[in-house]
Amino acid sequence: MLVVNRFRAAVDEAAALRSGLETALAVLSQQPGYVGGTLGRNVDDPELWVLQTQWEGPGAYRRALSAYDVKVTAWAVLGRAIEEPSAYEVVEPGSPTNEPRARG
């Protein structure tokens, strides 16, 4: 599973956002089911940042967000994400995609 969280910060707030996102990525990377992740800044709009992580599946990602260390160190910055859908299935060539349905 691929998670893409975007953030916007004024240029004078960029250092603080970057520090928070680096901390969030570090603590997320310690959670079970974490596969990889990167932090990036938009080349055309320096106020736009992205935190991209990969997980073994939705359950691993949701459990990671519930972990104590994540709540204590990362929730403040993760709560600044632009509100938009962020979880994506990885689509392999020729493989079926997830069936769209309500999740409960």
Side-chain angles (χ1 to χ4, degrees):
M1 186 181 101
L2 178 66
V3 178
V4 179
N5 296 113
R6 297 185 318 136
F7 302 82
R8 184 165 295 280
V11 174
D12 62 334
E13 299 173 346
L17 178 66
R18 178 180 180 170
S19 176
L21 290 173
E22 288 174 347
T23 298
L25 184 57
V27 73
L28 287 168
S29 73
Q30 300 303 308
Q31 303 308 308
Y34 175 86
V35 175
T38 56
L39 174 61
R41 189 176 77 159
N42 190 283
V43 295
D44 296 315
D45 182 353
E47 293 185 348
L48 190 58
W49 292 75
V50 65
L51 175 64
Q52 175 271 320
T53 55
Q54 282 189 277
W55 299 88
E56 290 177 355
Y61 174 61
R62 292 180 182 134
R63 284 187 295 279
L65 291 179
S66 297
Y68 177 79
D69 290 346
V70 173
K71 287 181 180 180
V72 170
T73 60
W75 264 107
V77 71
L78 294 176
R80 293 187 54 186
I82 296 171
E83 192 160 329
E84 62 187 7
S86 60
Y88 297 84
E89 64 180 303
V90 176
V91 178
E92 301 291 339
S95 68
T97 56
N98 192 25
E99 185 176 314
R101 61 183 168 83
R103 307 271 186 235

